[in-house]
Amino acid sequence: MIDELLRQRHLPDLLRFIDGEKVTRENWDKRREEIIRLLSQEYGDLPPAPVSVNFLQKSEESFCAGKANLVETILICNLKEGGEFSFPVKSVIPVKDEKQPSFILINFHDDVPDRYLPSEELCDLGFAVHSFCYKDITSDDENYNGKLASFYCGKKENLERGKIALWAWAAIRVLDFVLTLPETDPEEIALIGHSRLGKTALLAGGLDTRFTTVISNNSGCSGAALSRDKEGETIKKIFNRFPYWFKSGYGEYADKEHELPFDQHFLLALCAPRKLYIASAALDSWADPLSEFLSASAATAVYELLGEKGLDSDNLPPEENVLLHEGKIGYHKRSGTHYLSRFDWNAFARFIKTGC
Ligand code: GCU
């Protein structure tokens, strides 16, 4: 049934190079580079890594009845083109001696806790969490006056890269920071984002293999969901409203999804063989849970090529609130609407802790 639904979407084959050569375990790295080049037609390339990043601790206070410390750090990035770009990161770090698994959250707000960031619950589950507010990186609109956007986006009429690429670049700088902390277990660093920031998490996490788990929550169009025959939001709709999230040429695929030389399962496949989690919400028809699920299913081919189980399901999207955690690609369809809920966080923590 899943195979038949995937066939009907006429997806480009992950396991064939553009010139038709077959992809094998041996040449996967080369294919991965080709996929990254293809996807840059959508988001543009990330800006270059800074020459160096300095970390300035601004404050530290005891938090959650003494179970954790809340630390605010300023990341000062020395840009390749000259000048500095700084932004704050808030960390909740459990007080304990051993190395800890961490989440890096790309968030809509800078509050800790926040409706999307249950920091005390995560601390009780043994996780450190580091969050930053995407608006501290660049505004979520067509303004290109800020330092990063004026350096790296180019002209509004011909954007070299969109704002998703800038937010993704910042998530990678937070990873640079987290890796310097003595408490961090480098084998367990999960990147997570919701909605437009889920698209961002997939891009950053797909590109930088130091993230050991990548989590997309309700990321939908131009995120986890397949673009071909997608319900709800389409390339035309997203590009009309948010052209500045993308590289300019992406809009040419509006109503021409079948001409795309890739689809969103290419983005998911960049995470292979690392842990990847795609979470949908049952009433989120704009994001289209079925297209998110099928995309995870299509990316499974690369996990299998690399000797891992991907999405472990022969059935159509499982019942609501059932956790598919058997393979390296986790999935659930939570009941309710578009949101990053406690249910989602608990499922992600469990997937990471119980392993696969
Ligand atoms: C809009 C947009 C989506 C996006 C969402 C969000 O609904 O159309 O693509 O995911 O905003 O980020 O909340």
Side-chain angles (χ1 to χ4, degrees):
M1 179 70 167
I2 294 180
D3 288 349
E4 182 47 32
L5 285 177
L6 284 173
R7 249 193 307 279
Q8 288 168 10
R9 301 259 177 149
H10 300 286
L11 299 176
D13 189 350
L14 269 170
L15 300 184
R16 288 267 167 210
F17 284 88
I18 297 172
D19 68 5
E21 186 191 344
K22 204 168 168 320
V23 176
T24 62
R25 202 188 274 210
E26 289 65 41
N27 64 24
W28 164 247
D29 286 346
K30 207 171 115 211
R31 173 62 168 153
R32 195 173 180 280
E33 291 309 314
E34 187 174 77
I35 290 173
I36 291 172
R37 282 197 299 280
L38 288 170
L39 288 166
S40 80
Q41 294 180 44
E42 181 171 358
Y43 311 101
D45 297 330
L46 295 200
V51 182
S52 60
V53 189
N54 297 325
F55 312 115
L56 180 71
Q57 187 171 311
K58 198 172 153 200
S59 62
E60 173 166 12
E61 62 186 84
S62 181
F63 199 55
C64 301
K67 290 181 290 189
N69 289 316
L70 171 61
V71 182
E72 183 169 347
T73 309
I74 310 295
L75 273 53
I76 305 163
C77 308
N78 298 299
L79 301 179
K80 205 167 156 224
E81 289 70 15
E84 285 177 357
F85 175 75
S86 304
F87 66 100
V89 174
K90 288 186 180 166
S91 307
V92 175
I93 305 179
V95 177
K96 52 177 181 170
D97 281 338
E98 70 248 41
K99 299 251 180 217
Q100 302 162 14
S102 343
F103 283 106
I104 295 176
L105 171 67
I106 316 167
N107 205 359
F108 289 89
H109 313 111
D110 63 4
D111 301 326
V112 177
D114 170 58
R115 65 182 168 140
Y116 287 157
L117 172 50
S119 45
E120 181 168 358
E121 289 88 333
L122 291 173
C123 169
D124 291 343
L125 290 169
F127 286 86
V129 58
H130 309 271
S131 70
F132 70 99
C133 174
Y134 79 135
K135 288 191 177 152
D136 285 332
I137 309 308
T138 186
S139 61
D140 190 359
D141 56 25
E142 289 195 89
N143 179 327
Y144 301 100
N145 296 330
K147 182 146 208 173
L148 282 189
S150 62
F151 263 36
Y152 296 124
C153 286
K155 296 221 175 337
K156 178 178 166 183
E157 312 71 49
N158 188 18
L159 293 179
E160 209 177 309
R161 54 179 65 79
K163 296 215 167 171
I164 288 177
L166 302 193
W167 298 321
W169 176 92
I172 292 173
R173 305 295 65 91
V174 178
L175 174 63
D176 294 338
F177 162 61
V178 169
L179 281 167
T180 66
L181 300 176
E183 306 86 356
T184 299
D185 176 358
E187 303 299 321
E188 289 295 4
I189 304 179
L191 177 64
I192 167 169
H194 167 64
S195 206
R196 68 198 68 186
L197 303 178
K199 309 180 209 300
T200 306
L202 287 172
L203 181 63
L207 292 174
D208 196 319
T209 57
R210 296 174 301 165
F211 292 109
T212 59
T213 304
V214 182
I215 304 170
S216 145
N217 194 70
N218 307 177
S219 65
C221 184
S222 306
L226 294 172
S227 300
R228 284 168 171 76
D229 303 332
K230 188 184 173 301
E231 302 285 330
E233 190 172 31
T234 57
I235 294 179
K236 184 175 186 179
K237 290 178 185 158
I238 201 169
F239 200 80
N240 277 344
R241 207 162 141 218
F242 305 104
Y244 57 90
W245 286 354
F246 304 99
K247 185 176 162 83
S248 286
Y250 183 53
E252 285 160 26
Y253 291 102
D255 290 335
K256 292 188 191 149
E257 284 81 358
H258 282 274
E259 291 175 22
L260 276 170
F262 57 86
D263 208 310
Q264 295 305 116
H265 60 313
F266 279 41
L267 181 63
L268 305 193
L270 294 181
C271 295
R274 294 170 291 146
K275 281 178 272 186
L276 168 67
Y277 203 116
I278 306 301
S280 303
L283 298 179
D284 192 3
S285 51
W286 188 240
D288 187 359
L290 178 61
S291 293
E292 294 181 322
F293 177 83
L294 288 176
S295 184
S297 187
T300 291
V302 176
Y303 281 79
E304 289 175 352
L305 178 79
L306 301 178
E308 297 285 354
K309 237 187 214 182
L311 178 67
D312 191 41
S313 176
D314 298 330
N315 300 314
L316 272 181
E319 304 281 299
E320 285 178 28
N321 303 329
V322 170
L323 309 180
L324 288 183
H325 283 188
E326 292 303 314
K328 283 280 190 99
I329 305 182
Y331 179 86
H332 69 249
K333 186 173 67 174
R334 173 183 42 73
S335 51
T337 54
H338 192 73
Y339 197 80
L340 174 53
S341 75
R342 299 297 192 268
F343 178 95
D344 301 311
W345 276 108
N346 277 314
F348 304 145
R350 188 152 147 195
F351 179 69
I352 291 168
K353 286 194 115 174
T354 55
C356 39

